[in-house]
Amino acid sequence: NGHHLYTEVWSDQPPLYVSLLTLILKRFSPAVLGPRLLTTASTLLLLGSLFVLVLKTNGRLVAALATGLLMASPGFLELSSSAMQEIPALAPAAAALCVLLVCPAAKWRANVILGGLLFAVALQMKLIGIVYLPIALLIFVLRRLRLPADTEDADGGILRNSTGAADGIPMPSSSLVRPIAADILLCGAVIALGFACLNWLTGNPLRIQLQQAWASHFAPAQSLEYGSPTAHLFDWSILAKNWDTSVPAVAGIILLLRRATRRQTLAWLPLAWLGLTLVVFSTHRPWWAYYYIHNALPLCWCAAVGLAAAWEYARTARRLAPALILGLFAACALPWLGARLYFQESGIRQAPKLYNCRALKEIERFKPFTQYMFTDQPIYSFHSGIPVPPRLATLSLKRFWSGEMSNARLVSELENNLPGLMLLGSDPGERSFQELLNSHYQLVYEDASSRLYALKSVARKAPY
């Protein structure tokens, strides 16, 4: 509605995702389907990038297994159909790694330029893409470290030799430093230039954006009114709950380590990826459940390697024991995996359909007399078409922890705006703005999950 990020609407992330949502909602469809389709398209890009990455390094069977395991991982179905920026931000980063590894290096290093542009898009979606830059550096080294045995030039393209292994002939060490440094510098320049250009296209100030991002992600917590980031720890139990992937991943890690020690250098890629994401997301505070998708990518890759190796061993072994062990694992893992998918899917289908709930019908009576509404569930604002006051549009825990928002400031903003409606959860506890609520508002609707309050002057105008 013409309000600006960072100066009017607080945000701790770059503006590209919000800008794309604005474009979709204004130019194509005002319904939530548009934002969800953006996530769906990003999901397809993510799955395709993972498949091609694994296909070019470990073959078709491992690629298919890794992609299937990712789709069946905890929370993936909900995350891939929600209007959230995690997958739209992750997909271009994964696509960038795919381009850097798989695409042949042309004369003008087109693969490096395209990979850098994709990284710029990922970082403009969400700054979490920074985590994947070390993997890009590793890919630059691995591409130049060994040339394929059947390559025709010195571009460092990764091709398979006559034996089908992604391995080759060592390059002289003296010729490594310059091309690796050139790739890194070019990619870094493209990322920086692309990030700045995309930010300019969205029309948002870069300096304030970076200040808010730093304060919410790296600065010490300034307020503890709503707990502390250190209380949100990595949930190690999720690896146990996803044992159908974690167990074969252990076998895959052992196998990849053996291959890496035998100078099959590309085996280091999934190992380094998994190690990096486990270190980063197990130590980062706060940790949210949807961050698991970052661990799931390399974990599924390693698990697919382990499963494919177990299948090949059981198929070629002359003993019955390996086949029995693999069959027993499949008999236990497949029902577990299927049940997890079923409950994810049924949970999505059984979730409340807010767009046709009774509360929205009640809000409709007051809409002609209301400029703003305040709600602790902003999706109601979206479906009702009544905006939240811009400075209260984002009330995340990070904003309170950074000190940019507090209970006192929340009350002050509400007093200054006096939104016509307040839709709050049915929690009977005292709120920081309870005095304002008691003196200026009256309850006009209540159900098991929400309470709707209207400004007294608005309540008198609305028809019954």
Side-chain angles (χ1 to χ4, degrees), residues 325-446:
I325 294 174
L326 184 61
L328 179 62
F329 174 82
C332 297
L334 290 177
W336 180 270
L337 184 149
R340 185 170 64 239
L341 283 174
Y342 171 78
F343 286 117
Q344 285 188 61
E345 190 268 346
S346 61
I348 294 172
R349 289 187 178 275
Q350 294 172 11
K353 307 298 187 292
L354 298 183
Y355 57 82
N356 61 2
C357 70
R358 177 66 185 275
L360 283 178
K361 295 178 182 178
E362 291 295 321
I363 290 173
E364 193 67 25
R365 295 196 295 118
F366 303 94
K367 186 174 181 179
F369 316 102
T370 305
Q371 180 184 8
Y372 291 119
M373 71 177 293
F374 175 75
T375 174
D376 50 11
Q377 302 176 72
I379 191 63
Y380 282 100
S381 171
F382 175 84
H383 286 304
S384 67
I386 304 176
V388 174
R391 299 188 185 280
L392 300 179
T394 306
L395 294 177
S396 66
L397 288 175
K398 286 184 179 180
R399 188 178 182 188
F400 281 93
W401 291 334
S402 68
E404 205 279 336
M405 178 55 68
S406 63
N407 284 331
R409 183 174 177 183
L410 173 60
V411 174
S412 176
E413 291 288 346
L414 288 174
E415 289 175 343
N416 292 336
N417 287 277
L418 281 181
L421 294 173
M422 286 196 189
L423 182 66
L424 308 171
S426 58
D427 180 11
E430 286 288 316
R431 304 176 187 274
S432 59
F433 49 88
Q434 190 67 44
E435 183 178 347
L436 175 69
L437 198 63
N438 295 336
S439 58
H440 291 83
Y441 291 83
Q442 69 180 64
L443 182 67
V444 294
Y445 172 76
E446 181 178 10

Side-chain angles (χ1 to χ4, degrees), residues 125-137:
M125 287 282 194
K126 196 173 183 182
L127 293 174
I128 205 166
I130 294 174
V131 172
Y132 294 91
L133 292 179
I135 304 300
L137 298 181

Side-chain angles (χ1 to χ4, degrees), residues 34-57:
R36 285 181 174 171
L37 288 178
L38 173 61
T39 303
T40 302
S42 302
T43 302
L44 294 175
L45 177 61
L46 176 64
L47 294 173
S49 300
L50 177 65
F51 182 86
V52 174
L53 269 171
V54 183
L55 175 68
K56 294 300 182 180
T57 54

